[in-house]
Amino acid sequence: LGTMSGSGSEAPQPSETAEIRLQEAEQDWAAAKAFYDNLVTKKPRPPKPQNAITVAVSSRALFDLVEERRIYEEQGVEKYVEFQQNNENVTLKPGPAFYFVKALEHVNARLLELYPDDEERFDIVLMTNNHAQVGVRLINSINHYGLTIERFCMTGGQSPIGYLTAYLTNLYLSADSDKVQEAIEAGIASATMFTANKDVAYSDTQLRVAFDGDAVIFSDESEQIVKEQGLDRFFEHEQMNENKPLAQGPLKGFLEDLGKIQKKFHAKNERLNCPIRTYLVTARSAASSGARVLKTLRSWGLEIDEALFLAGAPKGPILVKIRPHIFFDDQMFHIEGARKLGTIAAHVPYGVAQKYHKSS
């Protein structure tokens, strides 16, 4: 019995050791967490989706994946995944949405200087139907360029539309016209990105966004009249309805988002130094059909920085002067003209023009 009680008196020692180890582990974990939290706060955390202006970008819009796409189409998904994994330390080159994303991040940096605790800023989400195995190369490339993209949605071949809705997406940019069409039909502002045919320098200090008017900011009601009844009837219709605001188009909400952010800079006396500039570039002529457009914007409480009425002249040369990070138009004719002269253009597949020229 004596020996048993002797061993009993020593029994608590191993459990005491375990408790000490547990305490040490908890201290280590607390120290690691504190270190990680400190690390994370060097970069601003992503804002809550309900506060953010969420811009979802596909991997083929953000990066140049033309060669990888060819492998996928010619050799299949397994060879594609294998290629991406074998090249995961090879940085991807910028794609058509890259400089737009960089400009959004510059706006965020300026916003955080003026409003450190405000969450109403741009949040870039990588929304891709890539498989998760490709993620490492995308992460490596994002880190190489110092982009702040914390949210990834890799759907493994599934349609991203449900995720776009869940993320409260304000704008979706993709290189896949079918997915963009699907998103537009789901009521999400979307456009198909096209790379410019020439390299031009883009502003590092000011986000420049150019919009077509009809079927982009506004509905396509006026374009329908042009197509069905001709230009003269269109001019008559616009003058008769000068004081009746046009219905909204698919990109009106995003123009509103840009306007909200601009007002934050104006409120801090930064109007002249605002890092966002918006442009209306329309084939309308000012005298015959411009007033209705300007009165519609006014009725919505929206300001646009520059309105350019081209009266049917090509848009490409004007866009070369503006050098927008992105130009939204519903007609492929204007998209092609802009691309030829070096503008990154985004096709909005909305309205009557799509019946006459399907997106390719």
Side-chain angles (χ1 to χ4, degrees):
L1 264 175
T3 52
M4 281 179 72
S5 67
S7 67
S9 66
E10 288 163 19
Q13 286 177 345
S15 69
E16 276 171 24
T17 310
E19 204 169 293
I20 290 162
R21 277 190 190 143
L22 192 65
Q23 281 174 350
E24 284 174 353
E26 280 181 1
Q27 283 168 353
D28 287 348
W29 182 84
K33 185 178 183 303
F35 177 74
Y36 175 74
D37 282 348
N38 191 40
L39 216 66
V40 169
T41 52
K42 298 281 184 286
K43 269 187 178 183
R45 290 171 188 256
K48 292 190 185 89
Q50 58 267 38
N51 299 335
I53 297 164
T54 300
V55 177
V57 183
S58 79
S59 53
R60 285 200 294 142
L62 186 61
F63 295 118
D64 177 351
L65 288 161
V66 172
E67 175 63 18
E68 289 76 1
R69 182 72 182 174
R70 192 181 58 74
I71 292 167
Y72 175 80
E73 285 171 355
E74 290 176 9
Q75 299 176 44
V77 69
E78 297 307 324
K79 288 284 182 200
Y80 166 78
V81 169
E82 186 186 322
F83 178 85
Q84 292 284 43
Q85 288 179 318
N86 290 343
N87 289 276
E88 60 189 29
N89 294 317
V90 179
T91 303
L92 292 161
K93 289 190 173 67
F98 181 88
Y99 295 103
F100 174 64
V101 166
K102 287 279 281 186
L104 291 174
E105 294 198 345
H106 172 72
V107 174
N108 278 351
R110 289 277 312 274
L111 271 174
L112 283 164
E113 285 169 18
L114 297 176
Y115 301 93
D117 302 319
D118 192 343
E119 286 206 325
E120 191 176 44
R121 59 181 188 271
F122 298 105
D123 186 27
I124 316 300
V125 175
L126 189 73
M127 185 74 61
T128 169
N129 69 340
N130 258 303
H131 292 259
Q133 297 92 310
V134 179
V136 174
R137 190 177 189 196
L138 295 170
I139 289 166
N140 287 345
S141 298
I142 282 164
N143 288 338
H144 170 84
Y145 293 111
L147 298 175
T148 308
I149 301 177
E150 303 291 352
R151 297 194 221 268
F152 266 46
C153 190
M154 308 190 75
T155 67
Q158 298 302 305
S159 167
I161 304 305
Y163 296 99
L164 291 171
T165 308
Y167 274 78
L168 306 176
T169 302
N170 298 74
L171 178 68
Y172 171 52
L173 301 174
S174 171
D176 186 327
S177 60
D178 290 338
K179 290 204 178 59
V180 167
Q181 184 74 59
E182 204 184 329
I184 283 273
E185 284 164 11
I188 296 161
S190 311
T192 311
M193 297 295 301
F194 290 91
T195 310
N197 293 356
K198 289 180 183 175
D199 283 340
V200 298
Y202 300 98
S203 173
D204 289 332
T205 56
Q206 187 179 60
L207 168 67
R208 296 178 190 168
V209 184
F211 298 88
D212 176 32
D214 295 301
V216 175
I217 298 174
F218 314 113
S219 77
D220 68 331
E221 67 167 88
S222 299
E223 283 195 353
Q224 284 182 35
I225 290 165
V226 173
K227 294 278 190 270
E228 289 160 16
Q229 300 175 43
L231 213 49
D232 289 342
R233 182 72 192 89
F234 161 74
F235 290 141
E236 276 174 39
H237 177 267
E238 292 306 286
Q239 285 172 336
M240 273 168 49
N241 290 281
E242 186 181 304
N243 295 312
K244 183 189 171 196
L246 286 151
Q248 68 178 55
L251 268 291
K252 184 237 183 179
F254 187 63
L255 176 60
E256 262 177 334
D257 293 329
L258 294 174
K260 270 193 293 190
I261 300 296
Q262 282 179 309
K263 285 195 172 90
K264 286 178 179 285
F265 289 97
H266 299 170
K268 297 276 188 179
N269 291 324
E270 292 280 311
R271 186 181 280 269
L272 295 178
N273 195 23
C274 183
I276 299 175
R277 194 161 184 83
T278 55
Y279 303 80
L280 174 69
V281 182
T282 172
R284 283 173 177 252
S285 57
S288 318
S289 58
R292 190 178 185 196
V293 160
L294 297 176
K295 287 182 177 182
T296 299
L297 290 170
R298 191 192 303 157
S299 77
W300 291 346
L302 285 181
E303 290 180 24
I304 202 138
D305 294 306
E306 297 188 30
L308 302 149
F309 294 93
L310 303 185
K315 296 181 179 183
I318 288 287
L319 292 164
V320 168
K321 179 84 181 80
I322 295 169
R323 291 192 181 175
H325 294 91
I326 195 165
F327 163 59
F328 295 102
D329 202 294
D330 67 308
Q331 300 199 43
M332 283 304 296
F333 167 75
H334 291 306
I335 297 286
E336 294 299 342
R339 285 179 72 200
K340 273 182 198 146
L341 296 178
T343 295
I344 289 175
H347 178 243
V348 181
Y350 177 84
V352 70
Q354 308 322 306
K355 291 176 191 168
Y356 294 82
H357 194 141
K358 287 299 279 181
S359 169
S360 55

